[in-house]
């Protein structure tokens, strides 16, 4: 007669206690109740005070104000906007302005950051010192200081449009901003864009195919001539057939200002320069740390396998460095986006400036407006961290395999 | 034998001298190995030298060579009067220096600012040198006593009561709020669908409030009695001292070991009494200087020091909360940290400036500076929480388990074993947070507080000093100040990191 192992007792009470109170047990439950009571009390106080204060100031709570007319102008809009549009449209205009300055800033910051990182890693002593000075000076000055410096000192010291600095005769920099040629779509634009999209898709498919062949059958396929052809040759050919996709309208000096071209307001220039140089200093440190984190032996192992220096870098060093670089790099991108809210100091019409600034002072709807503004930034950062945690999971899975 | 000798070789003449090896040390060696060893490197060196030439030379020329050093107003700094292209206009800084440091702080009272800064330096410097003793006492003085003293020095004003009155007042406020909530529930119960339930809950809350009212009655009665006396502060102080001393004695272990706790509490109280007496807090204290007169470097330092002092406890509490196993506390901590880390500081300041006053009772106004301080403390606290959490995660589990095996409670394990080690681990990260806090204090100028940057910006609009180089001069001056503080802190953090990792060096 065999004895079967008895099932362990269910211990339902213990499990409930663990779920409700953590390791502290029933004490934990009591602490939670006290904590919830305090939170509830604070919440009650906040709600009742806010209600009483709003009543005193004769402000109607709620989001109804979003449909009212804004009645003020914004000096940079990506979508059509006039003073008679609603506050909701102001919100969208501000959000788009924030996004455009963030994206442009991110592009420049990445480029400058990588260049400075390469300078710092360079075997040339002088160049690495120059990179170090750049990083130290930029990192140890407040960002707002730098924004104001570019806006109040550098851009304000530029000459007026009549004596503006000409950049190769196509763009003009003056204290009224940067005037650049504006593209005007022509008949060939449609086919050009279509062929360009086709080229991009074709190159992606080619790359996918080549990697499959390499990993599954060990065949090396040379695809770069085809990719080049698809990305540049085909659009060029379309241009020859259908004519130019767009022409540039050059700015011309007329009287006291420029006619033609599109003007980039000085606030945008100052903000972009300050944000990208500031974030670049941090990106440079991240990239440098990432590249230094790859062990010297990896390089040696690569060359002992007979890989060329370029192939070692491309296939061994950079992928490992990227794993270290990408998470903090995303964090810096996020910081740049959040820092773009400093635009309010120089009057660039971003979300905080036009919505939490002008709209707030016009309507007095502090709670709704600030909650919406904070919500936007919170959403952006939560989305980024969700993407990053997926990335981290992906990396750790590929490492574990 | 002779074979061996004959086949052996003995050199009879000296070898020709070989040329000395190429020097790879010193300046010549550096040039040879790191600057001019290949054509690419020569090109890069020239590039670097050009970069430096076009940045350093104009800066030096602007700051020193072409600068104007003395003058009364803008005419001294104009090119047509000076006779050359004018660089920095230093007389402008000289004229604006009081504004850049003190703001509009009354001239007669500026010694108070100087004294506070001196006190801060005297307390902070010994804290930073690892070799000096009495770190606990020093830290206590800097983080607990100094902020209070600095408040009464900078702001002025006195106190009307002490510990007992404050406790009584706070409890009364809490009780009134409970009673108010109960009444609100009762009045709701007349119209609501779940009336009986609301009525029961409301009555219970009101009952609780009344019970508390009776419970704290001795305290409130004592307070009112003391306030009626001739010298309420000292009477209150004596009673508070007696109560605190007794509590310290009992909690410290009674007759057996309570002497130490009693002695330290008495020492603290004597210190407080000396401060009250010296600054005359019991009869009005120093004349009040409203915070809207503060400005310049003073506000920058006040905001950053307050941020540093308040954010650390908030950060530690949040970090412990996030690691707690109690569900509600953990969820709350995570939500709180992620919320503040997810929004930009400027929206936090807007929140503190425009939204916070709405959340407080109508008769209760908060000073503009204090509002900004609250926002900054919460914001920085969330970042510090993540730093501290990193330190807590670095402590091996065995430490906590060993403490538990010795029979220490959770509080003792945390405060005596885990936290001290964790905090020591993350000092460099904490200092780095302080650097970014110091830089971020410049944002308060956006919500109408005149810190260093705000005062600088305000001084640009003075027509008396408007010259083409005014803005550059002002930015150069403020930049040097910011750089000195931030660079100093970053070097200190590197020094601590180096010291902490001493055992890993080889």
């Amino acid at each position: 007669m065999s004895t079967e192992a008895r099932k362990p007792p269910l211990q339902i009470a213990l499990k409930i206690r663990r779920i409700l109170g953590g390791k502290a047990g029933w004490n934990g439950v009591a602490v939670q109740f006290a904590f919830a009571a305090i939170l509830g009390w604070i919440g009650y106080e906040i709600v009742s005070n806010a209600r009483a204060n709003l009543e005193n100031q004769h402000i109607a709570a709620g989001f109804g104000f979003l449909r009212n007319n804004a009645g003020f102008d914004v000096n940079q809009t990506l979508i059509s906007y006039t003073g008679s549009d609603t506050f909701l449209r102001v919100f969208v205009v501000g959000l788009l302005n924030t996004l455009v300055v963030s994206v442009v800033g991110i592009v420049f910051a990445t480029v400058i950051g990588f260049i400075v990182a390469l300078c710092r890693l360079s075997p040339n002593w002088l160049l690495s010192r120059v990179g170090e000075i750049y990083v130290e000076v930029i990192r140890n000055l407040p960002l707002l200081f730098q924004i104001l410096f570019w806006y109040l000192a550098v851009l304000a010291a530029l000459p007026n449009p009549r004596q503006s600095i000409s950049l190769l005769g196509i763009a003009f920099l003056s204290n009224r901003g940067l005037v650049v040629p504006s593209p005007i779509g022509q008949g060939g634009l449609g086919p050009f864009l279509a062929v360009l999209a086709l080229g991009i898709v074709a190159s992606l498919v080619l790359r996918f195919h080549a990697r499959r062949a390499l990993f599954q059958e060990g065949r090396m396929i040379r695809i770069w001539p085809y990719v080049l052809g698809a990305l540049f040759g085909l659009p060029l050919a379309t241009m020859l057939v259908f004519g130019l996709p767009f022409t540039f309208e050059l700015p011309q000096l007329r009287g006291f200002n420029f006619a033609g071209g599109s003007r980039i307001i000085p606030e945008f220039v100052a903000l972009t320069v300050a944000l990208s140089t500031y974030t670049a200093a941090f990106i440079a440190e991240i990239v440098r740390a990432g590249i230094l984190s790859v062990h010297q032996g990896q390089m040696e192992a690569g060359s002992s396998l007979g890989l060329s220096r370029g192939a070692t870098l491309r296939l061994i060093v950079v992928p490992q460095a990227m794993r270290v670089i990408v998470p903090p790099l995303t964090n810096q991108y996020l910081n740049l986006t959040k820092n773009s809210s400093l635009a309010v100091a120089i009057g660039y019409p971003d979300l905080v400036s036009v919505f939490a600034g002008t709209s707030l002072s016009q309507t007095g709807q502090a709670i709704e407006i600030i909650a919406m503004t904070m919500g936007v930034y919170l959403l952006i950062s939560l989305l980024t961290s969700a993407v990053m945690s997926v990335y981290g999971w992906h990396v750790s899975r590929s490492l574990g395999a | 034998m002779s074979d061996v000798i004959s086949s052996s070789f003995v050199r009879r003449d000296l070898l020709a001298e070989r040329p000395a090896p190429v020097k790879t040390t010193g300046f010549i060696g550096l040039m040879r190995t790191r600057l001019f060893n290949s054509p690419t490197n020569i090109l890069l060196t020239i590039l670097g030298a050009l970069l430096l030439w076009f940045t350093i030379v104009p800066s030096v020329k602007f700051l020193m060579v072409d600068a104007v050093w003395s003058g009364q107003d803008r005419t001294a700094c104009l090119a047509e009067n000076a006779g050359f292209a004018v660089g920095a206009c230093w007389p402008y800084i000289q004229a604006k220096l009081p504004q850049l440091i003190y703001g509009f702080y009354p001239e007669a009272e500026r010694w108070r600012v100087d004294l506070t800064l001196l006190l801060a330096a005297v307390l902070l410097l010994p804290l930073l040198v690892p070799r000096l003793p009495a770190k606990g006492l020093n830290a206590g003085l800097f983080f607990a006593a100094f902020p209070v003293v600095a408040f009464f020095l900078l702001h002025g004003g006195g106190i009307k009561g002490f510990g007992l009155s404050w406790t009584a007042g706070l409890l009364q406020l809490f009780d009134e709020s409970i009673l108010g909530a109960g009444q609100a529930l009762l009045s709701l119960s007349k119209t609501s669908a779940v009336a009986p339930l609301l009525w029961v809950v409301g009555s219970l809350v009101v009952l609780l409030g009344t019970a508390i009212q009776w419970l704290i009655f001795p305290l409130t009665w004592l307070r009112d009695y003391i306030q009626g006396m001739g010298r309420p502060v000292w009477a209150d102080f004596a009673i508070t001292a007696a109560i605190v001393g007794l509590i310290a004695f009992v909690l410290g272990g009674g007759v057996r070991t309570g002497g130490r706790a009693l002695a330290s509490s008495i020492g603290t109280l004597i210190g407080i009494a000396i401060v009250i007496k010296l600054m005359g807090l019991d009869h009005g204290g120093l004349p009040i200087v409203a915070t809207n007169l503060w400005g310049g470097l003073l506000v920058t330092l006040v905001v950053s020091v307050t941020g540093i002092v308040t954010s650390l406890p908030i950060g530690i509490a949040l970090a412990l909360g996030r690691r707690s196993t109690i569900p509600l506390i953990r969820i709350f901590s995570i939500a709180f940290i992620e919320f503040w880390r997810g929004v930009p500081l400027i929206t936090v300041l807007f929140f503190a400036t425009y939204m916070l006053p709405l959340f407080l009772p109508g008769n209760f106004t908060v000073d503009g500076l204090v509002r900004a301080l609250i926002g900054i403390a919460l914001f920085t606290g969330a970042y510090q929480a993540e730093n501290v959490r990193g330190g807590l995660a670095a402590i091996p589990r065995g430490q906590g388990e060993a403490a538990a095996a010795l029979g220490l409670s959770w509080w003792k394990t945390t405060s005596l074993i885990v936290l001290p080690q964790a905090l020591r681990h993350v000092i460099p990260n904490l200092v780095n947070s302080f650097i970014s806090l110091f830089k971020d204090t410049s944002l308060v100028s956006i919500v109408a507080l005149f810190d260093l940057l705000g005062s600088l910006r305000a001084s640009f609009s003075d027509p008396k000093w408007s010259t083409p180089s005014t803005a550059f001069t002002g930015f150069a001056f403020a930049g040097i100040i910011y750089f000195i503080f931030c660079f100093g802190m970053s070097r200190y953090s590197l020094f601590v990191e180096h010291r902490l990792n001493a055992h890993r060096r080889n």
Side-chain angles (χ1 to χ4, degrees):
Chain A
M1 188 174 141
S2 63
T3 49
E4 298 233 332
R6 270 189 299 170
K7 273 189 181 171
L10 268 174
Q11 297 185 318
I12 293 173
L14 276 179
K15 277 178 187 159
I16 291 177
R17 200 176 76 173
R18 184 63 203 257
I19 290 169
L20 288 181
K23 275 185 195 159
W26 297 121
N27 282 347
V29 177
V31 168
Q32 279 182 84
F33 266 105
F35 190 67
I38 293 174
L39 278 188
W41 177 61
I42 293 175
Y44 166 76
E45 281 287 301
I46 285 178
V47 170
S48 66
N49 285 332
R51 195 174 284 167
N53 285 327
L54 288 180
E55 238 162 60
N56 282 343
Q57 297 172 11
H58 305 293
I59 296 173
F63 290 92
F65 76 95
L66 284 176
R67 283 191 293 277
N68 295 351
N69 279 356
F72 58 87
D73 274 324
V74 176
N75 61 353
Q76 179 193 311
T77 54
L78 292 183
I79 54 175
S80 71
Y81 169 83
T82 57
S84 57
D85 275 319
T86 59
F87 281 110
L88 190 62
R89 195 145 179 108
V90 173
F91 174 76
V92 177
V93 166
L95 183 59
L96 285 178
N97 281 341
T98 292
L99 291 180
V100 78
V101 82
S102 307
V103 170
V104 175
I106 283 173
V107 171
F108 280 115
T110 312
V111 172
I112 302 173
F114 273 81
I115 291 174
V116 174
L118 290 183
C119 280
R120 286 208 67 181
L121 288 169
S122 144
N124 186 299
W125 181 82
L126 193 65
L127 211 57
S128 71
R129 279 305 98 93
V130 170
E132 200 179 332
I133 291 173
Y134 173 84
V135 170
E136 286 297 339
V137 168
I138 295 281
R139 275 205 313 182
N140 284 318
L141 292 175
L143 175 60
L144 185 62
F145 172 91
Q146 298 184 29
I147 292 176
L148 290 181
F149 172 74
W150 288 107
Y151 185 63
L152 293 178
V154 178
L155 286 185
L158 287 176
N160 58 21
R162 287 179 67 82
Q163 279 106 35
S164 57
I165 301 165
S166 160
L167 305 172
L168 304 174
I170 47 173
F172 297 92
L173 192 63
S174 69
N175 58 6
R176 302 281 290 277
L178 180 69
V179 187
V180 291
S182 58
I184 295 171
Q186 300 287 342
L189 187 61
F192 176 77
L193 287 181
V195 169
L196 194 65
L198 196 73
I200 291 172
V201 171
S203 329
L204 286 178
V205 169
L206 264 178
R207 182 185 145 81
F208 180 73
H209 173 70
R211 286 190 83 91
R212 246 181 107 101
L214 178 64
F215 289 160
Q216 296 194 340
E217 298 157 36
R219 273 190 303 132
M220 288 272 264
I221 305 176
R222 194 148 48 125
I223 58 165
W224 65 265
Y226 305 106
V227 169
L228 270 186
L231 282 185
F232 295 100
L234 275 181
L236 275 177
T238 344
M239 249 192 253
L240 289 179
V241 176
F242 289 95
L244 285 176
F246 41 73
T247 52
F248 284 102
E249 187 195 22
L250 287 180
Q252 299 289 332
L253 189 65
R254 296 250 176 77
F256 291 103
N257 216 334
F258 283 97
S262 47
R263 190 171 74 95
I264 300 175
I265 56 175
E267 288 83 12
F268 183 89
V269 177
L271 193 64
T272 314
V273 171
L275 279 177
S276 48
T277 48
Y278 183 78
T279 314
F282 291 87
I283 290 180
E285 285 301 275
I286 290 168
V287 172
R288 189 176 79 106
I291 291 177
L292 287 181
S293 77
V294 181
H295 201 268
Q296 190 69 40
Q298 299 285 328
M299 197 81 196
E300 288 160 8
S303 48
S304 78
L305 285 175
L307 293 176
S308 73
R309 195 183 145 81
T312 321
L313 273 177
R314 195 161 47 83
L315 298 174
I316 294 178
V317 176
V318 170
Q320 294 188 67
M322 280 322 261
R323 210 149 47 203
V324 180
I325 290 173
V326 167
L329 191 66
T330 337
N331 204 14
Q332 285 305 323
Y333 290 164
L334 195 60
N335 275 349
L336 190 146
T337 311
K338 287 196 281 176
N339 282 336
S340 72
S341 60
L342 290 179
V344 66
I346 57 171
Y348 172 75
D350 81 321
L351 181 63
V352 173
S353 179
V354 295
F355 197 60
T358 321
S359 302
L360 174 60
S361 60
Q362 292 216 346
T363 60
Q365 306 274 2
I367 296 179
E368 296 85 356
I369 286 182
I370 292 176
M372 277 174 82
T373 314
M374 281 180 153
V376 166
Y377 287 104
L378 202 58
L379 196 68
I380 294 176
S381 71
L382 287 183
L383 280 181
T384 317
S385 66
V387 170
M388 277 338 284
S389 58
V390 170
Y391 174 82
W393 172 78
H394 197 75
V395 163
S396 65
R397 198 189 56 164
S398 74
L399 276 183
Chain B
M1 197 68 176
S2 63
D3 280 357
V4 175
I5 292 170
S6 64
S7 65
S8 70
F9 167 78
V10 177
R11 181 179 283 284
R12 301 194 184 258
D13 47 351
L14 284 171
L15 266 176
E17 276 182 9
R18 276 191 288 178
V22 172
K23 207 173 164 197
T24 55
T25 56
F27 183 65
I28 305 283
L30 180 87
M31 279 178 37
R32 201 170 268 146
T33 53
R34 306 272 316 263
L35 292 177
F36 297 109
N37 55 343
S38 70
T40 349
N41 240 0
I42 292 174
L43 208 67
L44 289 177
T45 306
I46 292 171
L47 187 75
L50 279 178
L51 270 177
L52 281 182
W53 181 263
F54 282 113
T55 49
I56 302 243
V57 171
S59 312
V60 171
K61 215 171 154 197
F62 177 83
L63 293 177
M64 316 276 255
V65 180
D66 285 347
V68 174
W69 296 92
S70 61
Q72 290 308 313
D73 56 3
R74 65 188 288 267
T75 49
C77 300
L78 290 178
E80 55 261 35
N81 295 331
F84 53 89
V86 171
C89 180
W90 294 119
Y92 152 71
I93 294 295
Q94 256 165 21
K96 293 288 175 189
L97 197 59
Q99 195 189 333
L100 291 180
I101 292 180
Y102 305 104
F104 297 105
Y105 211 87
E107 209 162 343
E109 307 287 339
R110 281 183 190 159
W111 62 271
R112 284 155 59 174
V113 180
D114 298 336
L115 185 63
T116 315
L117 294 183
L118 188 74
L119 212 58
V122 166
L123 284 175
L124 186 61
L125 285 181
L127 202 58
L128 296 182
V129 182
R131 218 178 299 157
L132 293 178
K135 281 279 177 291
L137 178 69
N138 199 336
L141 282 177
F142 183 73
F143 285 106
F146 172 70
V148 180
V149 172
F151 170 78
F152 284 113
L153 257 180
L154 291 175
H155 182 262
I159 47 176
K160 293 237 166 54
F162 198 65
L164 184 97
S165 305
W166 296 336
T167 320
L170 211 64
L171 285 176
Q172 210 170 18
L173 203 71
F174 179 63
D175 187 41
E176 274 165 14
S177 158
I178 289 180
L179 277 175
Q183 303 286 2
L185 278 180
L186 279 183
S187 68
L188 264 183
S189 74
K190 285 176 189 123
T191 55
S192 171
V194 281
L197 182 70
L198 278 182
W199 185 83
V200 169
V201 175
S203 315
L204 275 179
V205 172
V206 171
L207 203 67
L208 181 75
T210 324
I212 293 177
Q213 201 173 15
W214 283 108
L215 213 62
I216 63 172
F217 177 71
L219 264 181
T220 45
W221 175 82
L222 202 57
R223 179 193 55 181
D224 296 339
Y225 178 73
I226 287 171
Q227 292 297 338
M229 282 166 58
R231 307 179 75 183
V233 173
W234 291 111
D236 194 338
F237 184 81
I239 296 176
T240 313
I243 294 175
V244 169
L246 192 68
I247 291 176
F249 186 64
V250 172
L251 284 187
V255 186
R256 202 157 45 86
T257 53
R260 204 183 140 86
L262 183 65
S264 61
S265 70
I266 287 178
T268 315
L269 285 164
I270 289 176
I272 295 173
I274 292 175
V275 168
I276 292 179
K277 189 74 206 162
L278 268 182
M279 296 175 55
L281 295 182
D282 49 337
H283 46 264
L286 296 161
I288 290 180
V289 180
T291 54
N292 54 8
L293 295 177
W294 301 15
L297 191 61
L298 169 65
V299 165
T300 298
L301 289 177
V302 163
V303 173
S304 48
V305 170
T306 323
I308 289 170
V309 171
T310 51
S311 68
L312 201 54
I314 295 177
I316 291 174
L318 285 174
L320 290 175
R322 194 167 181 169
R323 281 171 67 84
S324 161
T325 53
I326 303 175
L328 187 62
I329 290 185
R330 193 179 63 235
I331 293 168
F332 174 80
S333 305
I334 292 176
F336 195 87
I337 293 173
E338 294 304 326
F339 175 75
W340 293 112
R341 277 163 49 91
V343 296
L345 179 55
I346 189 68
T347 59
V348 174
L349 288 175
F350 270 76
F351 163 82
T353 316
Y354 298 113
M355 228 160 131
L356 207 58
L358 290 178
F359 291 164
L360 295 170
N363 52 359
F364 195 81
T365 53
V366 186
D367 189 86
L369 182 64
V370 177
R371 277 185 248 161
L373 286 178
I374 293 173
I376 286 183
L378 293 175
F379 181 81
T380 318
Y383 280 85
Q384 296 294 38
E386 288 301 275
N387 284 337
V388 175
R389 193 167 70 108
L392 289 174
I395 305 301
R397 278 174 77 94
Q399 296 285 328
E401 284 165 1
L406 286 174
L408 296 187
S409 68
W410 182 85
W411 289 104
K412 282 191 172 163
T413 309
T414 305
S415 64
L416 298 175
I417 312 286
V418 178
L419 257 188
Q421 300 186 59
L423 288 182
R424 204 163 298 154
H425 261 290
V426 293
I427 289 177
N429 300 2
L430 295 178
V431 176
N432 287 342
S433 290
F434 293 154
I435 295 177
S436 52
L437 170 64
F438 187 81
K439 289 191 292 180
D440 284 345
T441 57
S442 57
L443 266 64
V444 298
S445 64
I446 295 176
V447 288
L449 291 171
F450 288 92
D451 72 323
L452 179 57
L453 202 56
S455 304
L456 184 74
R457 205 175 171 183
S459 75
F460 288 157
S461 55
D462 185 356
K464 193 180 163 196
W465 286 103
S466 81
T467 67
S469 63
T470 302
F472 284 101
T473 314
F475 278 117
F477 176 74
I480 290 169
I481 291 184
Y482 277 119
F483 185 81
I484 288 173
F485 275 98
C486 296
F487 190 70
M489 278 195 272
S490 75
R491 288 294 114 163
Y492 181 72
S493 124
L494 275 185
F495 158 73
V496 174
E497 204 174 337
H498 206 59
R499 218 178 109 82
L500 287 174
N501 290 337
H503 59 285
R504 290 204 198 126
R505 252 178 293 149
N506 40 17

